[in-house]
């Protein structure tokens, strides 16, 4: 933890949030080492084979969970570093994109971790993924508007047609951009009312 803190001090400001993540990271690393140490000492206890196998499987699953949590804390610290970089850029859309990417990366890490755990426990992951894919396709067809808005937000982040705070006019509406989310964009109109416009609509507008 000390070495990581010294390294990060040269890269980013050590805020309370980063300090808390570092503390949790060091605790999780300690738990991983403890589990691996128990696994190393386990043969010395000469436990019955069936019980021994169950203990090994449980400890290995715990070890995988702790590794996932470790990766989660590392990603959180990395995104704090990325946040410092985006603060120096002129385009304010980068600041809106980071939270979206952070949530997406968390979902990917936990999804891959759960798949790995299920595979280790003997679950037929291939069949499970096939079922999820079919279900995902059915869900996508049932929620086409949501999917369109999600891809609309990607196009906004890639094309960067405006920044946060810019005054925009489209389809007879005039207002300033307050926030760009995954599904919709929040616009404060000149009459001080708040509008939530679907990103698919904004992405297709002039």
């Amino acid at each position: 933890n000390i070495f990581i803190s010294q390294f990060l001090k040269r890269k980013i400001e050590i805020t309370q949030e980063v300090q808390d993540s570092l503390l949790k990271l060091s605790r999780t690393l300690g738990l991983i080492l403890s589990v691996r140490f128990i696994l190393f000492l386990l043969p010395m206890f000469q436990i019955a084979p069936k019980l021994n196998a169950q203990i090994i499987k449980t400890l290995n699953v715990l070890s995988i969970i702790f590794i996932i949590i470790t990766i989660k804390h590392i990603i959180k610290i990395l995104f704090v570093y990325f946040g410092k970089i985006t603060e120096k850029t002129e385009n304010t859309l980068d600041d809106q994109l980071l939270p979206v990417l952070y949530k997406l990366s968390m979902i990917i890490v936990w999804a891959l971790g759960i798949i790995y755990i299920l595979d280790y426990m003997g679950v037929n992951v291939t069949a499970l993924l096939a079922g999820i894919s079919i279900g995902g396709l059915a869900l996508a067809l049932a929620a086409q508007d949501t999917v369109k808005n999600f891809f609309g937000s990607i196009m906004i982040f890639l094309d960067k047609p405006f920044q946060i705070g810019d005054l925009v006019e489209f389809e007879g509406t005039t207002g300033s951009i307050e926030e760009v989310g995954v599904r919709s964009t929040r616009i404060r109109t000149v009459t001080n009312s708040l509008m939530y416009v679907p990103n698919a609509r904004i992405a297709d507008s002039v």
Side-chain angles (χ1 to χ4, degrees):
N1 190 17
I2 295 173
F3 293 116
I4 298 174
S5 297
Q6 292 299 323
F7 172 76
L8 288 175
K9 279 180 181 178
R10 297 196 296 267
K11 301 294 181 181
I12 59 174
E13 180 186 351
I14 303 296
T15 60
Q16 186 61 44
E17 183 183 15
V18 175
Q19 194 66 43
D20 291 342
S21 295
L22 285 172
L23 183 60
K24 291 174 183 177
L25 178 61
S26 61
R27 287 174 180 171
T28 311
L29 289 172
L31 289 170
I32 293 172
L33 291 174
S34 300
V35 170
R36 304 317 296 180
F37 185 67
I38 293 170
L39 284 169
F40 176 75
L41 294 178
L42 199 59
M44 299 172 57
F45 296 102
Q46 298 182 349
I47 303 171
K50 189 173 181 180
L51 179 60
N52 188 64
Q54 291 295 328
I55 294 173
I56 290 173
K57 181 173 282 191
T58 303
L59 289 175
N60 279 326
V61 169
L62 277 175
S63 182
I64 296 168
I65 292 172
F66 292 148
I67 290 171
I68 295 169
I69 295 172
T70 300
I71 295 171
K72 187 194 85 162
H73 292 316
I74 292 172
I75 290 174
K76 188 172 184 179
I77 293 169
L78 283 173
F79 269 87
V80 172
Y81 174 65
F82 294 150
K84 295 297 178 182
I85 295 175
T86 57
E87 284 178 0
K88 298 175 183 177
T89 61
E90 294 182 2
N91 199 302
T92 51
L93 274 180
D94 297 337
D95 303 327
Q96 295 289 320
L97 180 60
L98 274 182
V100 176
L101 290 178
Y102 175 72
K103 290 176 183 177
L104 186 61
S105 62
M106 289 293 106
I107 292 170
I108 291 171
V109 167
W110 278 107
L112 291 176
I114 290 169
I115 289 170
Y116 189 83
I117 290 171
L118 291 174
D119 184 57
Y120 175 76
M121 296 179 70
V123 176
N124 190 341
V125 176
T126 305
L128 181 64
L129 289 176
I132 291 173
S133 299
I134 295 170
L137 180 61
L139 184 63
L141 290 172
Q144 291 184 43
D145 289 340
T146 302
V147 175
K148 282 168 61 180
N149 288 326
F150 174 72
F151 282 105
S153 67
I154 293 175
M155 293 308 299
I156 290 171
F157 285 127
L158 290 176
D159 292 341
K160 299 177 181 177
F162 46 72
Q163 300 186 48
I164 305 301
D166 281 356
L167 188 70
V168 297
E169 182 179 356
F170 73 102
E171 298 180 3
T173 301
T174 303
S176 59
I177 304 294
E178 285 198 349
E179 182 182 359
V180 180
V182 177
R183 195 195 70 82
S184 62
T185 295
R186 191 170 69 194
I187 299 175
R188 179 75 62 176
T189 67
V190 291
T191 57
N192 203 33
S193 59
L194 201 58
M195 289 180 60
Y196 286 86
V197 185
N199 286 329
R201 181 180 159 195
I202 289 186
D204 291 337
S205 296
V206 178

